[in-house]
């Protein structure tokens, strides 16, 4: 295992160092279950510039985690299958790479942080083992060197007494500390793209802020691109550059962060924003979105959001699905009535 | 860790004593209700009462409490405990006046060999089949393993044993024995229809496999479900996200976790395997513990039954204790509870 | 089969290690969840051909046990040594056994003791074992200590050895005593399952909530905690029914089970096993019935487990 | 497992019988042309109870002990006639005081001489009850036996039995180094035929001093000696003894393999791992017959299975009831169905191979439903609604045939039956001793010595130990006494036959069948020898030499 992985990477045909670090085009993922086919992702597209932070926003079950897993190539197959689209890393379609080469992309170029660090870390191995494994398998380091690097990493993510804690097991860490271990693990091999899947959801509010600050700091230092997957609009506002809002496996609105907050162009985005309690609107009734998200085996025709939408008209209830309307040069929305929605504010 | 072991040890003591008393009480009741087992030695011939009394006395069945139905015979129990937990453990003698410790030490090596073979067979084949099926959930391999293991569990072990002895040991073995080029250790040892002193290990292989068969099925099923559950675990996904080779994801991150319940099962199963030896040893004529205890139970030699079963239970309990400790070693979550 | 306790372990999924880790907590709690779980499970089971076939088989065997006269008009005790071991023919599809009794009617009547033993032992095991497990898990402390140690004592007796010891002592070997012995040796397994579920269920939010609004111990146990424990128990009980049917045969083979002239599959097998080279059908018919029953129960248990365990959706 | 020993058909007559004569051979096996020496004979055996001759009384023990020890008398393989072996002569004038001369020059494996002391020592050891030797039972005809038994003063099993009055049998007296006398309590014409039983073997002093060790590593005086020691449950290896002065054994080695299950053993035999099996699993009999043909050896045996009648129970007091029950049973049909023909229906009370046995003397042992019904009616019928309870001990396979008996009685006489077959042997025998059977009960009987008296006195004489049916008939008792005191066996036999006639009419037990011996041997065996009295005689079996 002493091969230098980076050398190999350059050997990937068609690799263009100047291309965008990540570009997703019309991605489709479905799950073949006993109860029918669940269309989890239905044509998601987005791209990511170097150093950029893109937030993917949506309720649970909207397909955002599945998208992340598809990018990483860690979908459970079966039942999950990528049925269409492209995932380009520096111009190379990862979906077409043989597994051995694709594996080298993981953690080296694109790394991922999971939501629940307790279950995402293997309970029967020490933290040091799980960190060091990356250096040993990808960089061919000895156990001793790998351990030294692990300690450095734990220092980097500001875990106190790293030298002792490196020999401990995940369940001996607190929630926040465990998430720091996850971050350390993701950063270990200096990836260009980091995908963070709800990195703070399982944490206390105060700890959440610390973790987000840490992430932001590390991203700045290393000029990484970050895909931040979350359902929490509050988290997004501070760190994201651009936002993709997902609903029922589709991106229904895509825009720079400030534009969205200022004037959402899709009723769903609007509903999400309105459900954030705001101090300045104290006393007013919180307007949450009515109803439940659709079952993925049975997505409504036309616009998937139509049963819950206050703007919905007949045109929304029939196929074909709503196209993406170009709202401005840098933003799109999938709503026939985006103008009304936007102007409504 | 230390505290954990101590706690388990403390729980161990009342269990051992309780189990031994239970056995003592059962065998005492047996004598109280069904009479002096010594009488059976003489068979159809009615012995002179004096001779009967003399033999009864020598065998330790003379205690008057054994004539009172329902009497728990605490005194006798204390006597027995003192003898068992002395420097020279004394578990009593059988009707032929051989000490139970000697009977057991004669028989134990065979049963142990049988058990080792059974456990090796059960773990190697069972885990391999379970992993194979678990990794290919829903495939032909999976269904094959699923169906064959359920079938194996459903067939009574004595039927399995008889069929194997007649068809593998006798019929197939005779074919092999007709071939000059096959080494004797295979044709006369491994494929012998039962235990053979000339090939003390080779001739135990097939009986051991029969003994391990049921547990093998259970092991395979357990491994399969465990692998399937763990493959969905978040940390396996993490391992993949780390760009590790599939071999390592399965071999290190999945297997280690999946095997914890399997190893625990195999450990706990030693007890039932020993009991399963009762059947296997009879069919394959292995002079081990199982055969000993069945014969003793049939003739009502309570001193042997209580002695052997007590020793077996001690073995089982110690095995369980070791398994618990092993469990703690394997799964750090237990250790720091 | 020889090891009921372990069969349950494997099939139940989680290890039954008493002092092992507490089982994973159910994903969500509450009665609504339970209701939909059962409805889902039922729907899934009805569509599962393996389950339905097994269920049908068990129904057939059950009706043999309950109403043997539906299946045969022959008297299994009308025997004549003149007809010893006559092979199967049209009127007598299973032929005659060595005493010249009609083998088919023997097989039909033989279903009853096997089923009675299995049902009684499982029933007692679920009620008493489950009850003790509930008490131990719910109250904890010294109640748990005592019950757990008693469980250890009974579990430390390997199943077959324990059965041999008990049955040689009892001597009256009828379905009731055999059921009792099976129960005595296996109740701790179910008690452990329930105890584990109860311990993990006790701390669930909705249970705490119910406690906070002043629900009594009885109500907490039976309305809030027990429902969560029922699924694993049901799965285990189904499988154990099969294991008990097989256990009857094994005990009979070892000479401590039912005795002739009682009729049971175990007796049919153990009496005729010596003839299996000469007249294999004498062994084949009872073995087939027995294996089919055990197989059906296990497959039903498997299907139930898959249907009831959210992890397997 | 019941002792089975000698079954002499002919016991020599007169007071000076067995004088010298044909010791050391006379039968074919001594003819060198017929069988060469050498090779290893692999033998099936079950685990013996004891290898001590004073204790071993079951088949597996005896089959080993017979090769390790020789006795005063041996039996001719073909005729069963007793021949002097270690005895120079055995003489008596009154059938009560016997003088026995031992041949000189014989030694034990450890070098001790086989002399008068060796016998007196062994017999005393066996008879002394605190030693708990099973074969002490056989010494009971010798004067003074009772004094060696500890008596139970309070009759309910004391904690410690008192010491017996004496340690030595008063009836045994040493005359000189090689001569001793045996005095019996009562005259017994059959005494010389009994002492070929291994229970009467001599024992070395070292053996009696440490009997436990001698049990594991026997110190014998026979054709073979033990190699190593007894490997319990695994095997026993014997090698030919160089020091034995008599006719040596044929095979160089006798290797006994021990099996707990006869089916497992048969599987081994089929795989060519055994040369001799002295018994067969009943269900494999037909198969063995077709497969091994003339290598299957069969001989009518002398083990009786009978159904005892609890005469102490009112329902069985009338002999017509007992006769009716006996007439309802078709013995041959049960034998064919359950035993594959491996038994011979009983037509009398004395084993057919015994001297003095008569064929077809039992008029109630053939199925005759009409006669049975008539007799039952004459006795006043069977109480309506009462079930006939048939008893057998558990776990020995007796339930099968007993069920068939019940079926036949039910079919013939309309008496419904139930089986009581759940008692373990010990408890079953206690029930027998306590006379608590409520219906016909299964028991068996094998001869204690090859003399027809053994089928009569212990079972049916008033108050005899094994008289489980409590039959009491003074006429029967007096006929037996007359037989015992007769001057010769020939003179004794008519008395015994008259006694048999009485029980043939009264039927205190229903004789069922005699076991047929069936043995198989492998192709390695050159000449198979089966002793008519002592059964498998492994030392005389020769192997093919290549």
């Amino acid at each position: 295992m002493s091969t230098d992985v980076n050398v190999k990477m350059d050997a990937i045909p068609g690799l263009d160092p100047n291309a965008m670090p990540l570009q997703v085009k019309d991605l489709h993922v479905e799950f073949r279950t006993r109860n029918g086919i669940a269309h989890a992702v239905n044509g998601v597209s987005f791209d990511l510039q170097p150093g950029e932070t893109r937030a993917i926003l949506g309720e649970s079950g909207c397909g955002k985690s599945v998208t992340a897993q598809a990018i990483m190539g860690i979908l459970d197959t079966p039942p999950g299958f990528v049925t269409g689209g492209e995932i380009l890393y520096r111009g190379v379609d990862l979906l077409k790479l043989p597994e051995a080469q694709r594996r080298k992309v993981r953690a080296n170029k694109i790394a991922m942080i999971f939501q629940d660090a307790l279950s995402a870390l293997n309970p029967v191995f020490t933290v040091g083992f799980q960190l060091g494994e990356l250096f040993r398998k990808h960089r061919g380091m000895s156990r001793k060197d790998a351990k030294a690097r692990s300690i450095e990493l734990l220092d980097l993510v500001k875990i106190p007494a790293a030298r002792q804690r490196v020999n401990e097991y995940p369940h001996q860490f607190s929630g926040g500390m465990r998430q720091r271990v996850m971050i350390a693990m993701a950063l270990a091999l200096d990836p260009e793209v980091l995908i963070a899947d709800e990195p703070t959801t399982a944490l206390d509010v105060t700890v959440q802020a610390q973790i987000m600050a840490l992430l932001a700091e590390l991203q700045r230092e290393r000029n990484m691109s970050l895909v931040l997957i979350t359902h929490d609009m509050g988290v997004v506002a501070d760190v994201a550059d651009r936002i993709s809002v997902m609903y029922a496996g589709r991106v229904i609105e895509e825009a720079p962060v400030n534009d969205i907050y200022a004037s959402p162009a899709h009723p769903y985005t609007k509903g999400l924003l309105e459900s954030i309690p705001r101090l300045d609107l104290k006393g007013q009734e919180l307007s949450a979105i009515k109803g439940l998200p659709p079952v993925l085996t049975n997505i409504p025709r036309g616009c998937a959001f139509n049963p819950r939408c206050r703007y919905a008209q007949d045109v929304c209830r029939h196929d074909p699905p709503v196209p993406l309307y170009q709202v401005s040069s840098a933003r799109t929305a999938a709503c026939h009535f985006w103008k009304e929605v936007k102007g409504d504010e | 860790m230390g505290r954990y072991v101590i706690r388990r040890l403390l729980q161990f003591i009342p269990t051992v004593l309780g189990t031994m008393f239970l056995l003592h009480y059962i065998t005492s009741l047996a004598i109280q209700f069904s009479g002096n087992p010594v009488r059976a030695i003489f068979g159809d011939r009615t012995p002179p009462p004096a001779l009967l009394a003399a033999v009864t006395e020598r065998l330790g069945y003379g205690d008057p409490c054994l004539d009172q139905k329902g009497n728990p015979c605490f005194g006798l129990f204390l006597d027995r405990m003192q003898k068992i937990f002395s420097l020279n453990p004394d578990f009593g003698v059988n009707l032929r006046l051989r000490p139970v410790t000697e009977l057991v030490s004669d028989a134990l090596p065979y049963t142990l060999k049988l058990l080792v073979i059974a456990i090796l067979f059960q773990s190697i084949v069972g885990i391999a089949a379970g992993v194979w099926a678990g990794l290919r959930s829903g495939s032909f391999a999976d269904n094959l393993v699923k169906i064959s293991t359920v079938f194996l569990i459903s067939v009574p072990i004595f039927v399995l044993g008889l069929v194997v002895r007649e068809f593998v040991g006798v019929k197939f073995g005779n074919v092999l024995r007709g071939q000059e080029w096959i080494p004797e250790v295979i044709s006369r040892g491994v494929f012998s229809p039962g235990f053979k002193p000339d090939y003390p290990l080779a001739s135990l292989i097939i009986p051991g496999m029969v003994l391990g068969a049921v547990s093998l099925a259970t092991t395979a099923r357990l491994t399969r479900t465990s692998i399937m559950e763990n493959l969905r675990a978040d940390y396996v996904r993490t391992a993949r996200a780390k760009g590790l080779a599939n071999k390592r994801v399965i071999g290190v991150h999945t297997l280690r976790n999946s095997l914890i319940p399997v190893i625990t099962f195999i450990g706990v199963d030693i007890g039932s395997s020993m009991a399963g030896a009762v059947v296997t040893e009879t069919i394959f004529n292995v002079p081990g513990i199982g055969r000993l205890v069945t014969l003793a139970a049939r003739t009502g030699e309570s001193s042997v039954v209580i002695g052997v079963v007590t020793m077996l239970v001690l073995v089982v309990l110690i095995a369980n204790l070791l398994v618990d400790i092993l469990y703690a070693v394997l799964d750090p979550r237990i250790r720091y509870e | 089969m020889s090891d009921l306790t372990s069969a349950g372990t494997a099939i139940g999924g989680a290890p039954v290690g008493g002092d092992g880790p507490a089982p994973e907590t159910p994903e969500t709690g509450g009665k609504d969840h339970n209701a939909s779980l059962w409805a889902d499970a039922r729907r899934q089971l009805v569509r599962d051909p393996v389950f339905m076939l097994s269920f049908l088989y068990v129904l057939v065997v059950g009706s043999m046990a309950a109403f043997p006269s539906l299946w045969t008009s022959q008297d299994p005790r009308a025997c004549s040594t003149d007809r010893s071991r006559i092979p199967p023919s049209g009127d007598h599809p299973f032929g005659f056994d060595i005493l010249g009794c009609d083998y088919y009617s023997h097989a039909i009547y033989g279903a009853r003791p096997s089923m009675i033993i299995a049902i009684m032992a499982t029933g007692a095991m679920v009620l008493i074992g489950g009850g003790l497990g509930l008490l131990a898990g719910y109250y904890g402390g010294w109640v748990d200590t005592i019950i757990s140690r008693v469980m250890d004592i009974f579990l430390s007796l390997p199943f077959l050895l324990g059965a041999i010891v008990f049955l040689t002592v009892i001597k009256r070997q009828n379905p009731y005593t055999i059921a009792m012995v099976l129960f005595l040796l296996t109740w701790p397994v179910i008690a452990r399952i329930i105890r584990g579920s109860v311990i993990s269920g006790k701390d669930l939010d909705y249970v705490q909530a119910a406690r906070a609004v002043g629900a009594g111990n009885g109500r907490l146990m039976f309305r809030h905690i027990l429902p969560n424990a029922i699924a694993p128990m049901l799965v285990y009980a189904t499988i154990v029914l099969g294991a008990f049917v097989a256990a009857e045969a094994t005990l009979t083979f070892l000479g401590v089970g039912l005795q002739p002239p009682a009729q049971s599959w175990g007796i049919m097998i153990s009496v005729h096993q010596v003839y299996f080279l000469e007249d294999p059908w004498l062994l084949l018919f009872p073995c087939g019935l027995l294996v089919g029953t055990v197989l059906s129960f296990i497959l039903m248990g498997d299907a139930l487990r898959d249907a009831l365990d959210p992890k397997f959706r | 497992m019941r002792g089975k020993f000698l079954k002499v058909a002919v016991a020599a007559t007169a007071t000076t019988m067995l004088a010298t004569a044909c010791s050391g051979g006379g039968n074919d096996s001594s003819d060198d042309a017929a069988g060469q020496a050498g090779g290893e004979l692999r033998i099936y055996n079950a685990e013996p109870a004891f290898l001590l001759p004073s204790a071993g009384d079951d088949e597996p023990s005896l089959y080993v002990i017979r090769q390790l020890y020789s006795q005063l008398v041996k039996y001719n393989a073909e005729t069963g006639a007793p021949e002097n072996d270690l005895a120079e002569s055995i003489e008596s004038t009154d059938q009560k005081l016997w003088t026995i001369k031992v041949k000189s020059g014989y030694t034990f494996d450890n070098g001790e001489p086989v002399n008068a002391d060796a016998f007196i020592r062994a017999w005393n050891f066996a008879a002394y009850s605190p030693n708990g030797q099973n074969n002490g039972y056989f010494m009971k005809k010798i004067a003074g036996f009772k004094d060696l038994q500890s008596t139970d003063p309070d009759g309910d099993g004391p904690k410690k039995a008192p010491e017996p009055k004496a340690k030595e049998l008063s009836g045994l007296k040493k005359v000189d180094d090689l001569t001793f006398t045996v005095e019996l309590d009562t005259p017994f014409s059959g005494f010389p035929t009994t002492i070929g039983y291994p229970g009467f073997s001599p024992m070395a002093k070292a053996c009696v001093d440490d009997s436990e060790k001698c049990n594991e590593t026997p110190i014998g005086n026979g054709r073979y000696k033990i190699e190593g020691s007894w490997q319990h449950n695994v095997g026993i290896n014997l090698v030919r003894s160089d020091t034995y002065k008599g006719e040596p054994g044929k095979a160089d080695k006798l290797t006994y393999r021990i099996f707990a299950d006869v089916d497992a053993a048969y599987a081994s035999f089929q795989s060519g791992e055994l040369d001799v099996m002295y018994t067969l699993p009943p269900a494999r009999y037909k198969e063995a017959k077709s497969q091994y043909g003339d290598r299957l050896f069969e001989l009518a045996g002398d083990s009786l299975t009978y159904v005892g009648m609890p005469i102490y129970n009112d329902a069985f007091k009338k002999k017509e009831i007992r006769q009716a029950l006996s007439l309802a049973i078709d013995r041959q049909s049960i034998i064919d169905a359950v035993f594959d023909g491996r038994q011979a229906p009983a037509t009398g009370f004395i084993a057919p191979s015994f001297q003095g046995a008569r064929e077809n003397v039992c008029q109630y042992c053939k199925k005759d439903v009409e006669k049975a019904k008539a007799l039952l009616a004459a006795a006043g019928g069977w109480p309506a609604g009462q079930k006939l309870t048939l008893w057998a001990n558990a776990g020995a396979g007796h339930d099968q045939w007993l069920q068939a008996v019940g079926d036949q009685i039910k079919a013939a006489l309309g008496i419904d039956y139930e089986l009581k077959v759940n008692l373990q042997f010990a408890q079953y025998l206690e029930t027998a001793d306590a006379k608590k059977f409520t219906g016909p009960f299964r028991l068996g009987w094998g001869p204690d010595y090859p003399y027809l008296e053994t089928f009569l006195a212990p079972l049916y004489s008033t108050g005899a130990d094994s008289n489980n049916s409590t039959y009491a008939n003074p006429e029967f008792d007096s006929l037996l006494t007359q037989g015992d005191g007769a001057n010769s066996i020939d003179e004794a036999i008519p008395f015994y036959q008259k006694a048999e006639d009485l029980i043939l009419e009264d039927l205190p037990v229903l004789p069922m069948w005699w076991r047929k011996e069936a043995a198989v041997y492998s192709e390695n065996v050159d000449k198979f020898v089966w002793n008519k009295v002592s059964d498998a005689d492994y030392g005389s079996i020769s192997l093919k030499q290549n």
Side-chain angles (χ1 to χ4, degrees), chain C residues 235-256:
Chain C
V235 171
Y236 184 70
T238 311
I239 289 161
V240 117
L241 272 172
F244 282 159
V245 171
E248 184 270 327
T250 307
L251 292 176
T252 304
F253 171 79
L254 288 173
V256 291

Side-chain angles (χ1 to χ4, degrees), chain B residues 127-202:
Chain B
I127 291 177
V131 171
W132 188 45
L135 291 180
R136 289 170 181 73
S137 165
S139 69
F140 170 74
D142 185 25
N143 283 317
L144 181 75
V145 169
K146 232 160 74 180
I147 291 168
S148 53
T149 52
V150 175
F151 197 72
L152 211 50
I153 292 176
S154 314
V155 178
I157 188 168
F158 64 90
V159 174
L160 184 73
L162 287 171
V163 169
V164 168
R165 189 184 71 197
E166 293 304 329
F167 289 100
V168 179
V170 178
K171 295 257 151 76
F172 184 62
N174 277 348
V175 174
L176 292 187
R177 283 181 279 274
Q179 311 289 319
E180 289 292 320
W181 54 273
I182 295 174
E184 293 228 323
V185 70
I186 302 287
S187 62
R188 299 194 181 275
V190 179
F191 286 95
S192 130
F195 170 74
K196 236 180 137 178
D198 323 1
Y199 298 102
L201 199 60

